[in-house]
């Protein structure tokens, strides 16, 4: 089981905070550093100093790290017009030497759209835009050099695009799709995704969604085993109960809830819970949501005392 770091900079944190955590993650041997793609804080925290753009941040990290993989969980299609996004992500992939993974979703947080003047279509419109964006972005990346790419869909038309630049990875960076939708989301994953993610859900709910994705793959003639299963869970780990409680308090979360829904407790408790996740969902990859970006010792503890026991 691979562990990755996932952070939420919109809750409060600037580029330097993310750089320190990404470098710590790299030094500790985590598989990747991922961040959210949001423009407004939610829940606890005042969001100061303000949001950082996901792909501008990842471009910087691409040049200031050397081994760790980088990505979004997940970018919102409402923020990212397909053609320019294909260019931006391909460029960051080249800047990183081929370490980018591209997460894309339909978007859901209406308040951040109204706060920054971003149109927010209805659910059907957002999923139409997501399907178009996946077709355009992956189509551009996979179009051979010297050929052009065209697409006509319900939300975007592309005509004779040179489809440049190409990403460093061939044929394209891995695509991550996630969510809880019972029909359209699994179909899009079966068609476009290299990885499917279920975020902040229980084992039974996650297993059910993975089953729907497997069925969509089978219906599309794709081997379900070719799609990586992943989950995102809030982490709150400590060497003793006092340290666990201190970390829960620092992020404004109830420890009992974290134990029930996330990965909270001692390293031994977390290893046991991850084993249950593996048994019940066949998950291969876990994104550890670390909400206190300044607590580098948290990431170091998990790497030292949890990661080596996962095989």
């Amino acid at each position: 089981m691979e562990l990755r770091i996932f952070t939420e900079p919109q809750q409060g944190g600037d580029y330097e905070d993310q750089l320190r955590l990404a470098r710590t993650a790299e030094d500790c041997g985590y598989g990747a550093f991922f961040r959210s793609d949001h423009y407004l804080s939610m829940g606890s925290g005042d969001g100061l100093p303000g949001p950082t753009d996901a792909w501008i941040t990842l471009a910087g990290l691409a040049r200031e790290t050397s081994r760790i993989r980088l990505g979004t969980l997940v970018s919102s299609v409402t923020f990212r017009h397909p053609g320019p996004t294909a260019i931006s992500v391909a460029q960051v992939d080249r800047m990183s030497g081929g370490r980018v993974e591209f997460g894309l979703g339909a978007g859901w947080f209406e308040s951040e759209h109204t706060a920054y003047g971003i149109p927010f279509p209805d659910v059907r419109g957002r999923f139409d835009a997501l399907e178009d964006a996946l077709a355009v972005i992956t189509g551009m990346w996979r179009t051979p050099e010297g050929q052009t790419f065209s697409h006509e869909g319900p939300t975007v038309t592309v005509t004779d695009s040179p489809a440049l630049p190409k990403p460093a990875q061939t044929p394209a960076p891995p695509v991550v799709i996630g969510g809880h939708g019972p029909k359209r989301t699994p179909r899009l994953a079966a068609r476009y995704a290299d990885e499917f993610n279920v975020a902040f859900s229980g084992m039974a709910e996650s297993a059910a969604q993975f089953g729907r994705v497997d069925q969509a793959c089978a219906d599309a003639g794709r081997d379900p085993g070719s799609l990586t299963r992943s989950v995102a869970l809030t982490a709150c780990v400590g060497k003793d109960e006092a340290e666990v409680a201190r970390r829960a308090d620092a992020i404004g979360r109830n420890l009992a809830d974290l134990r029930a829904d996330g990965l909270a407790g001692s390293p031994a408790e977390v290893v046991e819970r991850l084993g249950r996740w593996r048994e019940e969902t066949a998950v291969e990859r876990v994104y550890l949501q670390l909400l206190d970006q300044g607590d580098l010792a948290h990431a170091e503890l998990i790497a030292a005392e949890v990661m080596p026991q996962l095989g």
Side-chain angles (χ1 to χ4, degrees):
M1 181 181 287
E2 179 193 9
L3 297 185
R4 295 179 160 195
I5 297 297
F6 170 53
T7 189
E8 305 260 12
Q10 78 280 352
Q11 297 303 106
D14 60 16
Y15 176 76
E16 292 299 324
D17 296 316
Q18 294 169 74
L19 175 59
R20 282 189 290 269
L21 184 53
R23 283 178 166 168
T24 298
E26 182 169 80
D27 291 343
C28 288
Y30 287 95
F33 175 87
F34 270 55
R35 56 154 291 163
S36 60
D37 191 358
H38 284 295
Y39 290 137
L40 195 67
S41 64
M42 56 196 81
S44 61
D46 56 18
L48 293 174
T52 52
D53 183 85
W55 285 99
I56 290 176
T57 297
L58 293 173
L61 297 179
R63 305 303 296 174
E64 297 197 81
T65 58
S66 59
R67 300 181 307 279
I68 198 163
R69 297 188 69 79
L70 303 166
T72 50
L73 198 67
V74 292
S75 287
S76 175
V77 71
T78 55
F79 306 159
R80 310 286 173 186
H81 197 74
T85 300
I87 293 170
S88 297
V89 178
Q91 184 176 3
V92 177
D93 194 48
R94 294 173 75 93
M95 292 166 70
S96 71
R99 293 184 284 126
V100 158
E101 302 189 12
F102 179 56
L104 189 66
W108 61 271
F109 190 23
E110 185 173 7
S111 294
E112 68 187 334
H113 293 74
T114 57
Y116 287 93
I118 303 167
F120 188 72
D122 61 17
V123 172
R124 180 173 180 175
R126 298 199 306 276
F127 270 88
D128 284 346
L130 176 60
E131 187 161 3
D132 270 347
L134 289 165
V136 169
I137 293 167
T138 61
M140 285 185 168
W141 288 342
R142 292 169 182 268
T143 296
E145 288 186 12
Q147 297 184 23
T148 60
F149 173 81
S150 297
H151 170 84
E152 186 172 348
T155 69
V156 66
T157 297
V158 176
T159 304
D160 295 333
S161 172
L164 296 172
K166 300 302 179 195
Q169 297 174 85
T170 56
V175 172
V176 183
I177 293 175
H180 302 87
K183 296 179 180 179
R184 201 165 179 184
T185 297
R187 288 199 299 269
L188 289 175
R191 184 172 181 183
Y192 293 107
D194 298 282
E195 174 181 335
F196 188 80
N197 179 268
V198 181
F200 313 118
S201 298
M203 295 183 199
E205 183 182 355
S206 299
Q209 184 68 340
F210 287 137
R212 287 187 282 268
V213 173
D214 285 352
Q215 185 60 56
C217 286
D219 292 344
R222 176 180 177 179
D223 176 10
S226 67
L227 199 153
T228 298
R229 292 184 174 196
S230 70
V231 294
L233 298 167
T234 306
C236 185
V237 187
K239 288 181 282 188
D240 53 37
E241 192 65 12
E243 189 170 78
V244 176
R246 177 180 62 77
R247 288 197 162 112
D249 185 63
I251 61 175
R253 297 290 296 273
N254 179 276
L255 183 52
D257 291 342
L258 287 172
R259 274 202 159 94
D261 302 328
L263 296 171
S266 68
E269 288 179 90
V270 170
V271 169
E272 188 276 334
R273 188 158 180 83
L274 286 170
R276 286 185 55 208
W277 268 98
R278 178 66 175 172
E279 291 172 6
E280 296 192 23
T281 69
V283 67
E284 304 161 73
R285 181 174 288 160
V286 177
Y287 292 84
L288 304 172
Q289 186 198 45
L290 300 186
L291 290 172
D292 185 352
Q293 295 179 86
D295 188 0
L296 303 182
H298 194 192
E300 292 169 342
L301 173 67
I302 296 169
E305 300 194 23
V306 175
M307 196 185 301
Q309 300 186 61
L310 300 180

